[in-house]
Amino acid sequence: VTQKIDSAIKIAKEALVENRNSHWVVGFSGGKDSTAVLKIIISAYKAVRRPPQKLDIIYCDTGVESILLDRYVKGVLKRLRTELRSTDIPANVKILRAPVSDRFFVKIIGRGYPPPTNSFRWCTKNLRIRPVSKYLKSASEDDAVVVLGMRENESEQRRRSVTKSGGTVWQTQREGKQSRRIFLPILNFELTDVWDAVYLVKHPRSIDPTALDRLYRNGSEECPVIKPPSAPPCASGRFGCWTCTVVRRDRSAEAAIASGTKELQPYLDFRNWLAEIRNDYSKRWPERRSGQPQPGPFTISARKEILRTLSRLERRTGHRLLTPSERAAIGLLWQRDVLIERELGIQP
Ligand code: SF4
């Protein structure tokens, strides 16, 4: 491996030894940066004589993750669990999810939320930030060290925020009364170092670098899973949600389809349709739930239409897009809103 990777592994080894009683948490998104970090931490862990006994690898599953990434990551996590067990590394692979009431389609089809836009971006917090913070809150009680794949050179915005917070591999993140330590072993990595680490560091073996590389063919940013000290907005990422309507066009899906991944077309059509009907006010309540005279939630008949279209997409792709508990939550939410619609004089 290269000198930069060697020195990152060395720093990680020292950090593990010095913090062996802490609860180590590696934030894994499946993307290249967090893959490089995972490889560095696992390699360091294997090389340390008395490593920490609490090590979690966390992944946040939004339920609407980019189709190709979702398939890739679920495969990696499954293999990783087996590999870690067989190598006696006492690490837990944890998949975090938002509570059913906060999931993307429960909000849209159940509560009638309009699909997110830049000015009403209700999704990032519900789907990505909150499930992770909730988990970290409990881990922080054991003096957590959170390992992230943040890099100074990722973007100008990142560089500014890193410089502001001292530019060191150790940073502190405050959340309410709690503060937790963030360890950033690849802070000074350039993009080429990241790919070197992905390809050259052997462990864990469950990650196939070429499969990851394929996901990046059309290159762009990732949607952050754990909010680092100052995170860029999540919206322009290739690794965002396939349903994301915050971006005007889903260029990464368009590019993937243009280069032959035709299976994404029905998902893209659905996303485009969802973005369009947001602005059809005949499908929305005439007022908000608060009573403000502005377009409110989708009407129940519009929500039913979205559910029918989504179910068609499920049948067409053979991919389950709503879990049974999400369907049940939607049904319960409709029961209450039927009464409100009656009061508002909306025809069913
Ligand atoms: S990718 Fe888009 S829809 Fe998903 S959480 Fe981020 S902003 Fe929201």
Side-chain angles (χ1 to χ4, degrees):
V1 295
T2 65
Q3 203 195 344
K4 218 155 180 187
I5 296 173
D6 240 353
S7 109
I9 295 177
K10 190 166 162 258
I11 293 171
K13 280 200 301 205
E14 285 162 11
L16 287 166
V17 171
E18 279 162 23
N19 298 280
R20 73 173 301 269
N21 294 323
S22 299
H23 183 165
W24 282 72
V25 180
V26 181
F28 183 65
S29 68
K32 59 184 187 326
D33 295 329
S34 67
T35 299
V37 159
L38 179 66
K39 290 195 153 207
I40 282 163
I41 290 292
I42 297 291
S43 301
Y45 194 94
K46 285 173 87 77
V48 164
R49 211 142 47 96
R50 290 173 64 227
Q53 288 308 293
K54 272 191 176 164
L55 172 63
D56 288 345
I57 296 157
I58 58 166
Y59 172 72
C60 184
D61 181 7
T62 58
V64 280
E65 207 55 46
S66 139
I67 305 294
L68 301 178
L69 177 76
D70 185 65
R71 194 179 297 155
Y72 163 82
V73 175
K74 299 268 168 71
V76 167
L77 294 176
K78 199 167 159 215
R79 291 193 300 275
L80 189 60
R81 276 203 179 108
T82 318
E83 177 179 348
L84 292 171
R85 253 198 313 269
S86 70
T87 48
D88 283 336
I89 297 181
N92 292 311
V93 177
K94 288 190 189 289
I95 300 184
L96 311 176
R97 287 186 184 90
V100 172
S101 57
D102 283 347
R103 308 253 175 95
F104 190 85
F105 286 121
V106 175
K107 286 286 190 206
I108 290 185
I109 303 175
R111 286 273 288 169
Y113 269 41
T117 56
N118 241 332
S119 54
F120 185 41
R121 182 142 53 91
W122 47 266
C123 45
T124 316
K125 227 187 191 141
N126 281 333
L127 300 176
R128 295 179 189 272
I129 309 288
R130 243 189 242 140
V132 177
S133 336
K134 196 170 144 215
Y135 161 83
L136 288 180
K137 224 171 247 163
S138 61
S140 295
E141 281 157 20
D142 302 332
D143 183 25
V145 172
V146 182
V147 192
L148 298 179
M150 190 166 134
R151 289 185 299 117
E152 235 169 338
N153 291 319
E154 206 175 318
S155 67
E156 192 42 42
Q157 189 178 4
R158 271 285 158 85
R159 191 194 305 274
R160 275 202 299 271
S161 82
V162 167
T163 315
K164 223 163 69 194
S165 48
T168 67
V169 293
W170 284 103
Q171 298 193 11
T172 306
Q173 182 182 30
R174 291 197 179 283
E175 200 174 300
K177 283 192 193 126
Q178 266 188 348
S179 78
R180 64 182 73 101
R181 287 172 303 152
I182 311 276
F183 180 52
L184 309 169
I186 63 162
L187 188 67
N188 66 350
F189 273 31
E190 304 283 343
L191 187 60
T192 49
D193 302 317
V194 172
W195 283 112
D196 281 348
V198 168
Y199 272 98
L200 303 176
V201 180
K202 280 200 209 80
H203 298 284
R205 292 184 191 275
S206 12
I207 294 172
D208 173 4
T210 44
L212 181 61
D213 206 335
R214 262 199 306 277
L215 285 176
Y216 274 94
R217 285 285 148 84
N218 307 309
S220 83
E221 298 288 315
E222 288 167 40
C223 194
V225 177
I226 298 177
K227 197 170 178 294
S230 160
C234 117
S236 57
R238 87 181 1 271
F239 286 168
C241 308
W242 67 268
T243 48
C244 186
T245 49
V246 173
V247 281
R248 210 172 57 79
R249 285 172 60 186
D250 185 345
R251 290 182 195 278
S252 98
E254 286 172 9
I257 293 164
S259 62
T261 315
K262 299 277 182 253
E263 63 166 313
L264 296 185
Q265 188 66 55
Y267 298 96
L268 180 65
D269 293 344
F270 179 89
R271 184 221 86 104
N272 291 345
W273 174 74
L274 202 59
E276 222 175 83
I277 60 161
R278 188 186 196 287
N279 302 320
D280 179 350
Y281 295 156
S282 70
K283 294 187 191 298
R284 310 260 302 260
W285 288 1
E287 59 182 55
R288 293 194 177 168
R289 279 184 196 275
S290 61
Q292 265 178 305
Q294 273 159 340
F298 278 127
T299 59
I300 293 184
S301 105
R303 294 180 219 175
K304 286 184 175 163
E305 186 186 353
I306 301 172
L307 181 60
R308 279 196 304 273
T309 315
L310 188 68
S311 303
R312 259 203 309 277
L313 180 62
E314 277 189 320
R315 284 195 297 275
R316 194 167 158 197
T317 57
H319 182 182
R320 193 174 74 177
L321 301 166
L322 269 182
T323 64
S325 55
E326 288 165 357
R327 280 184 188 270
I330 289 170
L332 287 175
L333 289 163
W334 284 357
Q335 278 175 23
R336 203 188 43 186
D337 278 0
V338 165
L339 305 174
I340 302 181
E341 285 206 346
R342 227 172 268 161
E343 264 177 41
L344 289 172
I346 296 170
Q347 297 298 324

